[in-house]
């Protein structure tokens, strides 16, 4: 097996025989000489016997972030609840824990992660563990460990066990010398945040592992993602989520970016749909390993105008955070995602007006919104 951590087949099985130590009932790999068919028929999780099928066996790392829970819900609906394992290092809410398999998985613990992949016969891995832009700048050593060292562990395990690996990238993978309007798939990048640097590293390492070892690596550069069922997580684009919560609660919103700061954005349903589509796309249809995807592009001022159709008395003010403003000024204003639309048929469903309507329909019927309607 041509990868960095080639321990040999016998050593590999000995290492995996002790179980994952995470408090979940997982059947360990049997002794050498037992056929893969026998192992597969006995493998279990949460005492549930998995039926043999053509469905992928999915692991999502960093699954309690903005995207993981929604992705798990989508994949479970498509592939069956017990075929999708959500993981994180944090304790999940009850509704998440009881909605399907959940497991503790620390991506910095290589041996534990490897055991999880083997013992649960994982075939698809979605790697969402990462520190976002603003949070990463506040703790560069931790961001370097999680975003880069954790990625290396995932790449080695995916290559060794022939997984289809998805690692999200970001508008933050571009820098101030990148073309910004529009930004193509292939151009100079050179970001100036540890988050962006780690994502460029992930893109290039994934492409290298694809050509060097045949790893089925797939990656999308996400724009700013907006969703109603998660709180802002420290990203530079999170103003576009917070504005809805503040508009409903107080009727006032103070934005940390300038009113004319244009950035590409996307509603979460489009993001999750694109993620599933790229993973299901035939390998022969893909002309590259990393694609831009986009749906809309707007400024805080344009978003506020659309929000004011529902909350007319919204008071919008600006208190520019120089750190996040500098980050936003180095990012694309518009994404060119023509390659994704051509190669695997990407097409978004939500524009700005539909995004705002959907957000308010999810966030409740405050009296201000009811009067506006």
């Amino acid at each position: 097996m041509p990868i960095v951590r080639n321990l040999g087949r016998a050593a590999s099985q000995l290492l995996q025989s002790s179980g994952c130590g995470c408090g979940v009932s997982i059947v360990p790999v049997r002794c050498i000489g037992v056929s893969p068919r026998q192992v597969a028929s006995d493998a279990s999780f949460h005492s549930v016997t998995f039926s043999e099928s053509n469905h992928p066996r999915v692991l999502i790392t960093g699954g309690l972030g903005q995207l993981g829970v929604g992705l798990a819900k989508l994949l479970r609906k498509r592939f069956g609840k017990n075929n999708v394992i959500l993981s994180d290092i944090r304790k999940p809410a009850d509704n998440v824990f009881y909605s399907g398999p959940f497991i503790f998985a620390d991506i910095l613990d290589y041996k534990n992660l490897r055991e999880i992949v083997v013992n649960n016969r994982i075939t698809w891995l979605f790697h969402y563990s990462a520190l976002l832009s603003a949070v990463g700048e506040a703790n560069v050593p931790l961001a370097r460990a999680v975003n880069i060292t954790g990625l290396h562990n995932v790449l080695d395990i995916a290559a060794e066990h022939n997984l289809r690996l998805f690692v999200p990238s970001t508008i933050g993978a571009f820098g101030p010398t990148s073309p910004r309007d529009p930004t193509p798939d292939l151009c100079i990048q050179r970001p100036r945040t540890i988050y962006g640097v780690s994502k460029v590293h992930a893109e290039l390492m994934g492409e290298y592992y694809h050509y060097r070892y045949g790893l089925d690596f797939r990656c999308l550069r996400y724009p700013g993602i907006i969703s109603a069922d998660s709180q802002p997580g420290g990203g530079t684009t999170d103003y576009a989520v917070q504005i809805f919560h503040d508009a409903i609660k107080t009727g006032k919103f103070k934005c940390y970016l300038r009113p004319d700061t244009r950035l590409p954005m996307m509603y979460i349903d489009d993001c999750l749909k694109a993620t599933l589509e790229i993973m299901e796309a035939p390998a022969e249809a893909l002309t590259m390993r990393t694609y831009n995807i986009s749906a809309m592009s707007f400024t805080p001022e344009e978003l506020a105008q659309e929000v004011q159709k529902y909350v007319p008395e919204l008071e919008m003010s600006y208190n520019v955070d120089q750190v996040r403003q500098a980050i936003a000024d180095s990012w694309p204003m518009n994404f060119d995602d023509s390659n994704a639309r051509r190669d695997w048929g990407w097409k978004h469903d939500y524009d700005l007006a539909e995004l705002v309507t959907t957000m308010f329909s999810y966030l409740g019927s405050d009296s201000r919104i009811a009067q506006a309607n």
Side-chain angles (χ1 to χ4, degrees), residues 217-228:
F217 173 86
R218 305 181 184 208
C219 178
L220 295 177
R221 294 191 188 105
Y222 291 154
I225 304 302
I226 302 172
S227 66

Side-chain angles (χ1 to χ4, degrees), residues 284-328:
E284 60 272 16
L286 305 180
T287 61
M288 55 188 65
R289 292 288 113 188
T290 299
Y291 290 88
N292 294 342
I293 54 166
S294 189
M296 65 193 89
S297 183
F298 55 76
T299 66
E301 185 175 37
E302 291 169 348
L303 177 58
Q305 291 171 357
E306 199 66 32
V307 170
Q308 284 167 341
K309 294 178 181 179
Y310 292 82
V311 186
E313 70 275 25
L314 172 67
E315 297 179 17
M316 186 80 167
S317 61
Y318 296 89
N319 183 19
V320 176
D321 178 334
Q322 295 302 325
V323 172
R324 283 189 278 197
Q325 186 64 58
I327 292 172

